[in-house]
Amino acid sequence: MVSVQLAKSDSQIIECFPVMFQLRLHLEQAKFIEQVRYQMKEGYQLAFLQVDGLTIAVAGFRVSTCLSLGKFLYIDDLVVEELKRSQGYGQQLFQWLIEYAKNHNCKYLSLDSGVQRFQAHRFYLIQNMNITSHHFAMEL
């Protein structure tokens, strides 16, 4: 059975770590709950897709508002367990995020993706996302 839910408890948050670590290699398991809880105070949420009780895909996101878009859902993190990719789990979680955004009156869904993540870009284009801008950054 496939289910998507929001991580609320510490045990649900830590269950997301092994999958999230595949995207965010700098994370430390010992600090993961604390980091997620801190971000939750700023509106971050962690959704996870489970199949028969095993976490297969994870998405970190937040709902925000800005002058250019109005209300939108921003996906910070979206990752599927490496051995389960290309089996439709990413699409199921992505569709859940779209429905969540619609149910919360968001006008847009957006994300940034590293320029080297070609498979992810292919996935986003298949999901009917458009490349709408270049993202610029500077380490301080």
Side-chain angles (χ1 to χ4, degrees), residues 51 54-56 80-90:
V51 178
L54 296 174
T55 301
I56 303 296
V80 176
E81 156 60 47
E82 186 175 12
L83 299 175
K84 300 290 186 177
R85 292 181 187 157
S86 298
Q87 297 181 32
Y89 299 120

Side-chain angles (χ1 to χ4, degrees), residues 9 12 15 39 97 101 125 130-131:
S9 69
Q12 289 174 321
E15 284 178 28
Q39 289 179 214
L97 290 164
L125 292 169
N130 297 311
I131 300 170

Side-chain angles (χ1 to χ4, degrees), residues 15-70:
E15 284 178 28
C16 295
F17 179 80
V19 178
M20 183 66 78
F21 183 72
Q22 293 178 25
L23 178 65
R24 307 288 183 220
L25 300 174
H26 64 280
L27 295 176
E28 297 177 35
Q29 185 170 353
K31 297 178 181 178
F32 187 64
I33 293 171
E34 179 183 351
Q35 180 65 38
V36 169
R37 289 282 182 209
Y38 178 81
Q39 289 179 214
M40 284 178 162
K41 292 177 186 174
E42 298 178 337
Y44 181 84
Q45 297 188 69
L46 195 57
F48 60 100
L49 179 144
Q50 287 190 324
V51 178
D52 298 326
L54 296 174
T55 301
I56 303 296
V58 177
F61 69 95
R62 52 200 151 101
V63 173
S64 191
T65 306
C66 67
L67 293 175
S68 62
L69 298 175

Side-chain angles (χ1 to χ4, degrees), residues 101-114:
K102 288 178 179 178
N103 290 337
H104 289 81
N105 301 312
C106 295
K107 300 292 182 201
Y108 291 92
L109 182 141
S110 67
L111 57 84
D112 289 318
S113 182

Side-chain angles (χ1 to χ4, degrees), residues 14 21 53 58 118 128-129 137:
I14 202 65
F21 183 72
V58 177
F118 302 114
N128 293 317
M129 293 193 85

